[in-house]
Amino acid sequence: MISNAIIVVYYLALHFIAINPGGQSTIFIDLFLEPKKVSYGPFKGFDMYELSDFNVYHGRGKKMRKLYINRRDTNVQVLYFKDTIANALEYHLKFFKSDEPKLPTVMMLDVENDISLGQHIFRITNKETTYCGFINFAADDYNFSSLGLHAIIESVDDRILMSFNTEGIIDYAMDSLFDSNKVKFEIVRNNVIRLQ
C-alpha cells in the first residue's frame, strides 16, 4: 500500500515537471572563499578572491571602498567599482553560486559601520560582470546585521530571486520594519528590483 502511494506521488511529480518545465528552482549555495593578501604589484594592499574565471580584488585599509574584477586567464579588467553611497568602516564580500554553469555568480558587498547599512549586488557570468545596484536594507536582529548572512538566492523560471531567512528586515530608506516573508528582490542584469 505504501509503495503504491510512493509510485503515485512520484508519477504526479514527474507529470507536474513535464507540464511545467520552467517551474523548477535551483538554490544557490553560499561559497566560502578564503582571500589571499596581495603583497606586490598593482593590487598591493588588496585581498584577492579566486572565482572560476575571475579574480576579485577588494581593497584593504584606505582602499577598502574599491573593487576590481579581472579575467584570470588574461588579467583584463571587466569591472571597477568604488562605493560612493556611504563612508563605511568595513566592507565584507559574500558569493553565491549555483551548480548550473549557465547561471551567474551573485556577489554581495556589505557596507558596515557598527551596523549593516546595506548591500551592493553584482552578477558575474563567463560573458560579463555587472553592478546591479544597492539595497538599503539590513536584518532586524538586534545587531542590524548584513542581509548577506540571511540571503536565499534561487533561480526560478530563468529569474534570479533573493529572499531572506530572518524574521524581520529594516528598510532604511522608508525607516520601516517588515516581516521577511514580505520582502523579495529580483536580481537582473543591471538592477535589483523589489518584488514585494
PDB file of all heavy atoms in Angstrom, residues 28 53 64 93 132:
ATOM      1  N   PHE A  28      21.009  28.560  -4.893  1.00  0.00           N
ATOM      2  CA  PHE A  28      22.430  28.906  -4.913  1.00  0.00           C
ATOM      3  C   PHE A  28      23.031  28.581  -3.544  1.00  0.00           C
ATOM      4  O   PHE A  28      22.368  28.750  -2.524  1.00  0.00           O
ATOM      5  CB  PHE A  28      22.609  30.407  -5.178  1.00  0.00           C
ATOM      6  CG  PHE A  28      22.336  30.822  -6.596  1.00  0.00           C
ATOM      7  CD1 PHE A  28      21.129  30.535  -7.226  1.00  0.00           C
ATOM      8  CD2 PHE A  28      23.287  31.530  -7.302  1.00  0.00           C
ATOM      9  CE1 PHE A  28      20.883  30.944  -8.521  1.00  0.00           C
ATOM     10  CE2 PHE A  28      23.052  31.947  -8.605  1.00  0.00           C
ATOM     11  CZ  PHE A  28      21.849  31.649  -9.215  1.00  0.00           C
ATOM     12  N   ASP A  53      36.547  31.838 -13.322  1.00  0.00           N
ATOM     13  CA  ASP A  53      37.123  32.555 -14.457  1.00  0.00           C
ATOM     14  C   ASP A  53      37.666  33.941 -14.099  1.00  0.00           C
ATOM     15  O   ASP A  53      38.191  34.638 -14.960  1.00  0.00           O
ATOM     16  CB  ASP A  53      36.079  32.732 -15.566  1.00  0.00           C
ATOM     17  CG  ASP A  53      35.619  31.403 -16.129  1.00  0.00           C
ATOM     18  OD1 ASP A  53      36.459  30.497 -16.248  1.00  0.00           O
ATOM     19  OD2 ASP A  53      34.421  31.272 -16.444  1.00  0.00           O
ATOM     20  N   MET A  64      39.631  50.159   0.880  1.00  0.00           N
ATOM     21  CA  MET A  64      38.549  49.192   1.081  1.00  0.00           C
ATOM     22  C   MET A  64      37.265  49.528   0.328  1.00  0.00           C
ATOM     23  O   MET A  64      36.401  48.683   0.169  1.00  0.00           O
ATOM     24  CB  MET A  64      38.258  49.010   2.564  1.00  0.00           C
ATOM     25  CG  MET A  64      37.630  50.169   3.249  1.00  0.00           C
ATOM     26  SD  MET A  64      37.408  49.783   4.984  1.00  0.00           S
ATOM     27  CE  MET A  64      37.361  51.399   5.681  1.00  0.00           C
ATOM     28  N   LEU A  93      32.595  40.795   1.604  1.00  0.00           N
ATOM     29  CA  LEU A  93      32.101  40.139   0.395  1.00  0.00           C
ATOM     30  C   LEU A  93      31.491  38.786   0.705  1.00  0.00           C
ATOM     31  O   LEU A  93      32.003  38.046   1.556  1.00  0.00           O
ATOM     32  CB  LEU A  93      33.254  39.923  -0.597  1.00  0.00           C
ATOM     33  CG  LEU A  93      33.720  41.136  -1.383  1.00  0.00           C
ATOM     34  CD1 LEU A  93      34.950  40.784  -2.199  1.00  0.00           C
ATOM     35  CD2 LEU A  93      32.613  41.636  -2.293  1.00  0.00           C
ATOM     36  N   CYS A 132      24.605  45.550 -10.159  1.00  0.00           N
ATOM     37  CA  CYS A 132      23.138  45.572 -10.238  1.00  0.00           C
ATOM     38  C   CYS A 132      22.515  46.696  -9.418  1.00  0.00           C
ATOM     39  O   CYS A 132      21.456  47.193  -9.776  1.00  0.00           O
ATOM     40  CB  CYS A 132      22.581  44.229  -9.771  1.00  0.00           C
ATOM     41  SG  CYS A 132      23.204  42.844 -10.735  1.00  0.00           S
TER      42      CYS A 132
END
